Amino acid sequence: MSTIKIIDDKCVGCGQCANECPFGVISMIERPEHPKKFKLAKIDINKCVYCGTCVEACKFSAIELQKDEPALAEVDNSLYKGVWVYAEQRHGEISSVVFELLSECKKLSQELSVPLSAVLIGGADISSKAQDLIERGADKVYVYDDPALAEFQDDPYTSILTALIKQEKPEIVVMGATNIGRSFASRVAARIKTGLTADCTALSVDIQTRNLQQTRPAFGGNIMATILTPHHRPQMSTVRHKVFKEATIQKGRQGEIIKVTKDDSLLKNRTKFIQFIGDDSSKINIADADIIVSGGRGLGGKEGFKLLKELADLLGGAVGASRAAVDADWISYSHQVGQTGRTVAPRVYIACGISGQIQHMVGMNSSDIIVAINKDPFCPMMKAANFSIEGDLFEVVPRMIKNIKELKK
Amino acid sequence: MNIIVCIKQVPNTTDVKIDSETGRLKREGVESIVNPFDEYAIEEAVRLKEKNPGSKVTVITMGPPQAESVLRDALSKGADEGVLVCDRAFGGADTLATAYALSMAIKHLGNFDVIFCGKQATDGDTAQVGPGIAEMLDIAHVAYVKKINNISDKSITVERLMEDGYDVIESSLPVLMTVVKEINIPRLPSLKGKINSKKAVIKTLTAVDIGADEKRIGLNGSPTQVKKVFTPTQKTVEGEKFVGEPDVVASAIVAKFQEIGIV
Amino acid sequence: MEYFLTEEEQMMIETARNVAIEKVKPIREHYDEKEEFPWEIVKEFAQADLCGVYIPEEYGGFGKGIMGLVLVVEELCKVDGAIALTLAATALGTLPILIAGNEAQKNKYLPDIASGKKLAAFGLTEAGAGSDATGMSTTAVKEGDYYILNGTKCFITNGGEAETYTIFAKTNPLRGARGISCFILEKGMKGFDFGKKEKKMGIKASSTRELIFDNCKVHKDQLLGKEGHGLMIVQATLDNSRPGVAAQALGIAAGALDEAVAYARKRVQFGQPIASFQGIQHMLADMATEVEAARALLYATARMIDSNVGKPEKEKKRTSKESAMAKLLCSETAMKVTTNAVQIFGGYGYSREYPVEKMMRDAKITTLYEGTSQIQKNEIALNLIKESAAKNK
């Protein structure tokens, strides 16, 4: 079992560790022997996750961390080669997130000097899509087609992808963080007993160790974590739609299409797909909007969104929201931008009363132009904005609406 | 029918404030709550119990001793029994090790027909533990369930929310479902529920109790490792600042909009 | 202030607060505006087990007495004084059964009321008989195993919506105060109908209606207590129910005070929050002190009433004076505090955009029903004189 402790003699009670602990599990307590003079750091062992941030923060080497290396059966990393993208399809069409993953994973495969492969699982005629993947940068495409696989179901998809991974041994497998990807990536990782990192916002590789450095917002907070899967292969990640730019099409690009040998035992299925019912009504497609007017906690209530809607309508844009506003039930979830909502990259993103927590920022910081309206000039959103307006949005936005209306006349 | 709900204690993010100087979260005074998505799981389990008399709802969480409070919360909303999976050896678990520990605890509890989880926890946002548990129990799962259409002794038909609509899926039992917000409106605790939950005895299970392989729990059993944690260097743009009377800044920004061609 | 509430009392408050904030607050304006009966909220009250806190456990309640009722009503009324009335007026209609009902009657009616499946109402007032109940003209004439009721009751809270009614009628017009009896009636009985619905200043979500009896045939098993004991039941009921009205008033006052403090901190005039002005501060200080004093009297009264439970008749303390005092102080405080809350809000307070004007409208009824403030004073004075006379014979 890993252990962590404070060496009482060395701790000077500066509190640096408590400040830095991303989990807030360190508190400063009185020292019985020096009441009111020096404090002593105390770690709540029940909540500590042994991340080691405090050890690095302590200038007095007063924190001792003994971290057990994972004892989970390790694999010989050198047996694993290649970067894979799971080529998600929906009703026979490749999801666009796949093209984004191909562009980013291409870079990884080049750095590692290995081929980039895509895995395509689907109905009888899905192999016709394989060439599209090659033209977007895949060197190899593994295809498993069967009429039973036309629509996504966890059991057979998990079995097929797992079997293929075990056989071909890729070192990296990246999937879209879509409902499909998130549903069965976890199952695949659990069956192989390897690590899976959700919703990565950046991927890079360390050439020496060939470790994939997976960065994502973490701990429900304003911090990022870089996560490794050092002793297991493949290293698995999911990445959300719109985080990376789509790979361009290289017409006529050559690659290898590999038809995977069929094995009917892989099609064993405990669920049955009955039907698909399309419904776009509840879906406000903020991901496709050119201009987004977005509101956060500063709106103070439902009423504020009416104001933003008016501005958005005038600009021909859509209304977005931060999680705080959605949690408060001021607006529906389909408008949410950020880590737990949608990732967007519009031409102009107008953030009204949004302070800019990291989870929100990762969902919109690839916007071309960011406009922020906020009372607090020092909040992260104002710092990230190309145009920052310090003021009360309830005073500024109505005047903007008035001005634009006059211009339109 | 035996129904299990896996829940998690998370910090109440609507309470969280950011220190504008350091950009860090202020964690003091942030209360711990039931993961909001798990509230829908609890409610759906209790509704299923009410429709199938004689059923039992067991809520289970893995966490420190303080996590007992979320179990009591679930009991006040109609769950029958709370189980806390608690052991220092579980500390530092990633999603794989968490799914393993919970699956072992569920096996230890015995028979089950349906397991509910929230679609994800609001602190980690991974959505990985639910399907992971199903895999380790070797049962079917359906993620993002927005409606249960019907359930019999052997199978269940549900609607799975997708980006472009929903899929109707039939599954054999036992099954694990992760549920989304659209599935129900959770009830508030009743007085009877509150009084009962106060009196209830919470069962605590340790790693030894559930027969967990020590190599597969906690930090030991976690293939992913946090290499470093950092406050991101905020993208600071040398942006243009507009300060002053609302009238003035509003016309200045609208002029800017004209310049970039969006008005 | 610390009232040393038990753990279960605190749970009742918490449960009620959750429902008030999550379920009542978002729709309170709607019901006030539309004057609709809030059935969706009644269901929430039922689901949260709030309907039967004062009903003994053997009939499906929680046995938390008048104190339980007071705590729940106060907490709900902090958010809305009209919607909570569905529950408080049911208590008023139920108390005669609790006080005078036999086992069969209690078993028949109380469990459904405790579970919130049915609401109750109390039918005493008539157009010509308000403060003076003996002036009523509704009659109940005995014919074999039945009584035949004729007459009209007015201003009946929960009228038309409740299933169970405790109705007072003259069984012997010659005997005055001793000629009144109490009956349990059910909605849907032949000859029992509902008349005009009142349009009111406040408590608009509450239904206030006429009850009309036209040769309504009521079985003698429905008689509560003995024939001619009606007014004794009224007195005992009001002794127990006035703290409920007091709690409604107190809740409205406490809610208005909270609104006023929050607004005073937020509202900026002359470059600073108005809470920094001593004129406002003193108003807030008076309001808070009045609310706390009213609460202290009310809780002590409720405890006193509950202390009678299970005691032999002889040892029971009479609580008419204290109940009247609690109702008088709480309702007058509610009127003062809500008026001052509107004052602190200024022009905005008069606007429907903010909740305090509604609180002021809702508060007014508490000085009127279940005995006007003047009637409470009569009751208090009468008891003072009696007590003095008993001491100094």
Side-chain angles (χ1 to χ4, degrees):
Chain A
M1 201 191 302
S2 302
T3 55
I4 187 159
K5 62 178 183 208
I6 306 284
I7 303 160
D8 290 14
D9 296 345
K10 290 188 180 173
C11 176
V12 300
C14 69
Q16 188 62 23
C17 53
N19 284 341
E20 299 261 331
C21 175
F23 300 91
V25 305
I26 306 182
S27 51
M28 303 306 296
I29 58 167
E30 298 283 341
R31 277 183 189 256
E33 68 275 23
H34 301 291
K36 290 182 183 150
K37 211 168 164 196
F38 299 112
K39 292 219 166 164
L40 178 66
K42 185 173 182 291
I43 300 172
D44 184 348
I45 293 297
N46 287 316
K47 289 183 176 170
C48 176
V49 305
Y50 312 100
C51 69
T53 306
C54 54
V55 179
E56 280 176 41
C58 182
K59 296 189 175 70
F60 305 92
S61 311
I63 307 176
E64 212 171 66
L65 170 64
Q66 260 192 332
K67 207 164 164 175
D68 292 352
E69 283 301 310
L72 194 63
E74 291 177 17
V75 297
D76 181 354
N77 289 356
S78 67
L79 297 175
Y80 288 75
K81 284 278 170 337
V83 178
W84 282 15
V85 167
Y86 169 69
E88 176 180 323
Q89 54 87 14
R90 186 89 178 123
H91 318 306
E93 293 298 323
I94 307 280
S95 304
S96 58
V97 64
V98 174
F99 304 136
E100 297 160 16
L101 299 182
L102 285 172
S103 84
E104 191 67 14
C105 290
K106 187 81 200 173
K107 296 176 204 160
L108 304 179
S109 71
Q110 283 165 348
E111 278 186 64
L112 293 166
S113 314
V114 290
L116 172 63
S117 309
V119 179
L120 184 56
I121 303 172
D125 49 1
I126 199 68
S127 49
S128 64
K129 303 287 176 191
Q131 182 57 29
D132 292 352
L133 297 166
I134 291 169
E135 291 182 356
R136 300 275 192 163
D139 302 309
K140 285 188 207 171
V141 181
Y142 295 94
V143 183
Y144 197 119
D145 57 3
D146 191 289
L149 298 171
E151 294 290 348
F152 167 73
Q153 284 175 95
D154 293 277
D155 272 348
Y157 276 57
T158 303
S159 300
I160 290 165
L161 186 58
T162 309
L164 202 56
I165 288 171
K166 285 189 172 164
Q167 185 189 317
E168 300 292 323
K169 297 190 170 49
E171 58 199 300
I172 291 170
V173 177
V174 182
M175 301 171 70
T178 56
N179 285 14
I180 289 178
R182 288 178 144 222
S183 179
F184 94 111
S186 330
R187 245 193 130 115
V188 172
R191 196 169 293 180
I192 298 172
K193 300 192 183 66
T194 190
L196 169 65
T197 306
D199 287 350
C200 298
T201 54
L203 296 174
S204 61
V205 287
D206 175 343
I207 301 296
Q208 299 293 300
T209 59
R210 300 179 77 84
N211 280 340
L212 180 64
Q213 296 168 331
Q214 309 159 100
T215 298
R216 75 183 299 263
F219 317 129
N222 208 20
I223 43 175
M224 305 291 288
T226 301
I227 293 165
L228 302 182
T229 307
H231 307 293
H232 297 80
R233 292 293 182 269
Q235 308 159 81
M236 294 182 65
S237 331
T238 63
V239 177
R240 293 154 57 102
H241 184 31
K242 292 259 176 182
V243 168
F244 300 129
K245 297 271 184 230
E246 248 182 46
T248 48
I249 301 169
Q250 296 164 265
K251 272 275 168 233
R253 188 172 180 277
Q254 296 292 304
E256 190 184 353
I257 296 173
I258 303 162
K259 285 263 191 180
V260 180
T261 320
K262 293 198 183 180
D263 174 356
D264 280 351
S265 71
L266 297 176
L267 300 181
K268 193 174 148 257
N269 193 355
R270 287 165 292 201
T271 61
K272 195 166 128 198
F273 177 87
I274 310 274
Q275 62 173 330
F276 163 69
I277 312 253
D279 177 18
D280 283 335
S281 63
S282 66
K283 179 176 159 193
I284 289 94
N285 216 341
I286 51 173
D288 294 336
D290 232 14
I291 295 169
I292 295 175
V293 184
S294 207
R297 205 189 297 271
L299 253 63
K302 281 181 185 155
E303 290 303 307
F305 277 100
K306 285 188 189 158
L307 194 63
L308 299 197
K309 176 90 171 57
E310 201 182 344
L311 180 60
D313 286 347
L314 273 175
L315 296 171
V319 174
S322 75
R323 179 183 191 151
V326 173
D327 282 351
D329 260 339
W330 298 341
I331 191 162
S332 72
Y333 171 72
S334 51
H335 294 267
Q336 187 172 321
V337 172
Q339 165 86 349
T340 43
R342 278 163 196 276
T343 308
V344 297
R347 259 185 75 205
V348 183
Y349 189 85
I350 307 173
C352 307
I354 301 178
S355 63
Q357 277 208 27
I358 188 64
Q359 292 134 306
H360 186 77
M361 300 300 263
V362 298
M364 46 62 71
N365 60 12
S366 40
S367 307
D368 293 343
I369 294 174
I370 297 171
V371 181
I373 306 175
N374 211 300
K375 283 183 190 166
D376 175 6
F378 303 110
C379 69
M381 183 63 81
M382 292 286 272
K383 287 180 182 165
N386 303 81
F387 306 122
S388 63
I389 301 156
E390 185 185 340
D392 182 347
L393 72 98
F394 289 102
E395 292 184 346
V396 177
V397 175
R399 289 172 169 87
M400 286 167 67
I401 291 170
K402 200 173 128 245
N403 281 347
I404 296 170
K405 275 185 183 162
E406 277 165 15
L407 281 171
K408 288 202 163 182
K409 266 183 202 163
Chain B
M1 185 171 282
N2 278 318
I3 306 162
I4 290 176
V5 190
C6 301
I7 66 173
K8 186 179 186 187
Q9 186 186 37
V10 298
N12 187 353
T13 46
T14 52
D15 269 5
V16 174
K17 294 195 172 61
I18 302 172
D19 184 325
S20 65
E21 276 182 22
T22 62
R24 275 192 183 282
L25 287 182
K26 289 185 186 166
R27 283 179 182 266
E28 293 117 57
V30 176
E31 59 161 349
S32 291
I33 56 166
V34 178
N35 169 39
F37 291 112
D38 297 345
E39 297 274 11
Y40 305 99
I42 296 167
E43 176 66 27
E44 202 58 24
V46 173
R47 287 187 187 186
L48 200 55
K49 173 181 90 166
E50 287 167 348
K51 277 192 208 129
N52 297 274
S55 300
K56 181 178 158 198
V57 175
T58 306
V59 258
I60 168 167
T61 191
M62 184 176 104
Q66 303 92 304
E68 199 190 284
S69 70
V70 294
L71 294 173
R72 292 199 189 275
D73 210 76
L75 294 177
S76 76
K77 288 169 183 161
D80 301 293
E81 198 180 304
V83 177
L84 176 65
V85 184
C86 179
D87 195 315
R88 278 196 45 200
F90 295 129
D94 73 358
T95 56
L96 188 73
T98 303
Y100 172 73
L102 285 171
S103 71
M104 290 305 283
I106 291 168
K107 279 183 198 163
H108 173 84
L109 293 175
N111 279 339
F112 57 87
D113 303 289
V114 177
I115 302 174
F116 286 104
C117 302
K119 75 161 178 168
Q120 66 198 53
T122 55
D123 57 349
D125 285 324
T126 69
Q128 286 170 193
V129 173
I133 293 171
E135 176 60 31
M136 291 178 194
L137 292 172
D138 196 17
I139 59 169
H141 90 268
V142 187
Y144 303 101
V145 171
K146 75 182 249 296
K147 192 174 173 218
I148 295 179
N149 287 343
N150 55 61
I151 182 163
S152 70
D153 291 346
K154 294 210 165 54
S155 73
I156 186 167
T157 311
V158 301
E159 294 175 7
R160 170 173 70 193
L161 187 69
M162 302 302 274
E163 286 88 349
D164 54 356
Y166 63 92
D167 292 343
V168 181
I169 302 284
E170 186 188 301
S171 173
S172 62
L173 295 185
V175 67
L176 180 144
M177 286 176 274
T178 74
V179 301
V180 293
K181 208 171 173 170
E182 288 77 3
I183 196 165
N184 57 45
I185 299 171
R187 72 193 63 192
L188 296 172
S190 68
L191 184 55
K192 202 174 284 161
K194 269 191 182 269
I195 292 171
N196 290 345
S197 82
K198 199 78 192 181
K199 290 182 191 151
V201 179
I202 302 284
K203 189 194 270 181
T204 301
L205 296 176
T206 63
V208 173
D209 293 338
I210 61 174
D213 176 353
E214 60 174 26
K215 291 186 180 132
R216 296 189 63 187
I217 55 173
L219 209 55
N220 286 348
S222 300
T224 62
Q225 294 186 2
V226 178
K227 187 190 162 209
K228 65 169 177 176
V229 174
F230 58 100
T231 308
T233 38
Q234 288 290 351
K235 186 173 125 189
T236 322
V237 182
E238 264 318 302
E240 227 174 294
K241 293 188 172 56
F242 299 82
V243 192
E245 283 304 306
D247 278 322
V248 180
V249 294
S251 34
I253 191 74
V254 171
K256 206 45 123 183
F257 283 0
Q258 272 183 293
E259 208 179 297
I260 57 178
I262 64 167
V263 174
Chain C
M1 192 172 294
E2 173 63 62
Y3 292 101
F4 303 99
L5 301 178
T6 66
E7 198 172 26
E8 292 194 352
E9 284 168 344
Q10 279 160 358
M11 285 179 186
M12 287 191 279
I13 295 177
E14 246 176 67
T15 308
R17 182 183 303 146
N18 269 335
V19 176
I21 290 174
E22 303 274 335
K23 304 291 179 185
V24 180
K25 200 171 179 183
I27 47 84
R28 61 180 171 185
E29 284 89 8
H30 169 88
Y31 282 102
D32 185 54
E33 202 73 37
K34 301 281 179 223
E35 310 200 10
E36 283 168 15
F37 195 81
W39 274 110
E40 58 166 323
I41 304 301
V42 174
K43 288 200 187 95
E44 297 289 345
F45 290 162
Q47 195 275 317
D49 301 327
L50 295 176
C51 298
V53 286
Y54 57 96
I55 293 174
E57 284 171 284
E58 56 262 44
Y59 307 113
F62 285 82
K64 299 296 169 208
I66 297 301
M67 188 66 182
L69 177 67
V70 161
L71 293 173
V72 167
V73 170
E74 178 193 348
E75 206 55 40
L76 294 174
C77 289
K78 283 180 184 171
V79 167
D80 188 289
I83 292 174
L85 195 48
T86 56
L87 194 153
T90 292
L92 174 64
T94 307
L95 282 166
I97 303 176
L98 274 170
I99 289 163
N102 56 38
E103 271 315 297
Q105 290 167 333
K106 287 180 178 176
N107 282 320
K108 184 174 175 190
Y109 291 103
L110 297 180
D112 280 351
I113 293 171
S115 70
K117 224 163 106 186
K118 290 180 179 169
L119 298 181
F122 180 80
L124 175 67
T125 304
E126 295 181 9
S131 295
D132 174 18
T134 55
M136 72 171 62
S137 56
T138 299
T139 56
V141 177
K142 195 160 186 192
E143 271 185 21
D145 279 349
Y146 290 89
Y147 288 89
I148 310 297
L149 267 68
N150 277 293
T152 300
K153 297 284 172 187
C154 72
F155 294 153
I156 306 306
T157 309
N158 283 354
E161 308 294 337
E163 296 284 335
T164 309
Y165 294 80
T166 43
I167 301 298
F168 295 84
K170 281 193 172 161
T171 37
N172 188 346
L174 300 175
R175 293 199 65 196
R178 293 188 184 275
I180 294 171
S181 303
C182 182
F183 301 90
I184 310 173
L185 268 71
E186 292 171 21
K187 183 175 174 175
M189 287 173 99
K190 201 161 171 268
F192 175 19
D193 208 350
F194 304 102
K196 158 180 94 148
K197 208 178 153 187
E198 296 300 327
K199 291 238 170 217
K200 305 184 295 290
M201 169 185 184
I203 54 163
K204 294 185 177 202
S206 175
S207 159
T208 311
R209 261 183 110 167
E210 276 181 350
L211 311 181
I212 299 165
F213 310 106
D214 177 13
N215 285 321
C216 180
K217 206 169 150 191
V218 180
H219 194 270
K220 66 176 194 254
D221 287 351
Q222 301 297 96
L223 175 70
L224 267 176
K226 289 183 183 154
E227 204 179 282
H229 281 196
L231 271 198
M232 282 157 64
I233 297 173
V234 170
Q235 184 63 51
T237 297
L238 292 178
D239 288 353
N240 283 276
S241 70
R242 281 175 178 155
V245 180
Q248 180 196 12
L250 177 65
I252 297 172
L257 172 64
D258 288 347
E259 294 285 347
V261 176
Y263 184 79
R265 289 178 55 220
K266 204 172 69 186
R267 171 74 172 169
V268 174
Q269 287 291 280
F270 306 104
Q272 47 193 316
I274 62 169
S276 65
F277 302 129
Q278 211 173 41
I280 299 286
Q281 288 175 357
H282 285 186
M283 283 175 83
L284 292 172
D286 284 339
M287 290 157 75
T289 308
E290 285 157 1
V291 165
E292 208 57 73
R295 185 178 284 128
L297 177 61
L298 173 59
Y299 286 8
T301 302
R303 292 264 192 239
M304 184 178 167
I305 294 170
D306 290 341
S307 74
N308 279 334
V309 173
K311 280 191 188 155
E313 215 48 49
K314 270 189 182 168
E315 287 173 31
K316 284 187 180 171
K317 296 184 199 93
R318 283 217 61 184
T319 58
S320 308
K321 185 184 71 179
E322 288 75 12
S323 287
M325 285 174 160
K327 198 226 162 208
L328 173 67
L329 182 64
C330 289
S331 59
E332 292 295 332
T333 298
M335 216 42 234
K336 249 195 272 179
V337 168
T338 53
T339 309
N340 281 335
V342 170
Q343 193 68 25
I344 287 171
F345 273 71
Y348 286 115
Y350 202 67
S351 146
R352 291 214 174 170
E353 207 177 309
Y354 289 92
V356 286
E357 63 83 29
K358 173 180 181 297
M359 291 173 166
M360 185 173 159
R361 286 187 284 112
D362 288 347
K364 188 59 211 172
I365 189 63
T366 63
T367 69
L368 303 172
Y369 64 9
E370 293 189 37
T372 60
S373 289
Q374 288 68 31
I375 289 292
Q376 309 305 324
K377 289 179 189 178
N378 290 354
E379 182 78 50
I380 296 163
L382 181 71
N383 279 283
L384 276 181
I385 294 162
K386 271 193 203 162
E387 282 167 21
S388 172
K391 257 189 253 163
N392 317 297
K393 277 180 189 166

